[in-house]
Amino acid sequence: GCHATLCVARARELATVPDEVDDVTAGALPLAGLTAWQALSEIAPPATSSTVAVLGADGAVGRLSLQLAAAREAHCVAPHERRTASPWYDLEEAEGSSRGVRVRS
């Protein structure tokens, strides 16, 4: 499984990990990436110019979901609870969120 210490794979199925990415991050990317990809490609693919609400946009799956939805030219809305002056720091520019919407818990 994906959490095994060792596995067997064909060389063509592997990718080189960039030097600036540690092994833990490289190992975790497929879990979050495949979850986001499946949600936005197989379960509920957004149409161009549709609006997509990404809950948990500051987490791994949420950040990748924002990028994938933005790449499909969807408008992304990211609800949040942060109480800082800049609640979405780099999310809006880097990940493609059209806007952050503050919600109360």
Side-chain angles (χ1 to χ4, degrees):
C2 65
H3 294 290
T5 304
L6 300 171
C7 67
V8 176
R10 293 180 186 96
R12 67 177 185 206
E13 296 170 340
L14 303 174
T16 304
V17 177
D19 291 336
E20 62 272 9
V21 177
D22 62 272
D23 290 341
V24 173
T25 302
L29 181 60
L31 295 174
L34 289 174
T35 300
W37 178 261
Q38 184 177 29
L40 293 170
S41 294
E42 298 173 14
I43 297 172
T48 300
S49 298
S50 63
T51 300
V52 175
V54 178
L55 306 179
D58 56 348
V61 175
R63 282 178 171 254
L64 291 166
S65 296
L66 282 175
Q67 293 176 36
L68 291 170
R72 292 176 178 245
E73 299 181 13
H75 302 286
C76 301
V77 177
H80 62 86
E81 291 185 67
R82 296 186 189 257
R83 293 171 175 81
T84 60
S86 178
W88 286 106
Y89 43 96
D90 63 330
L91 280 181
E92 290 188 28
E93 293 178 14
E95 272 71 306
S97 176
S98 301
R99 60 187 166 141
V101 178
R102 181 156 179 212
V103 295
R104 294 182 183 194
S105 57

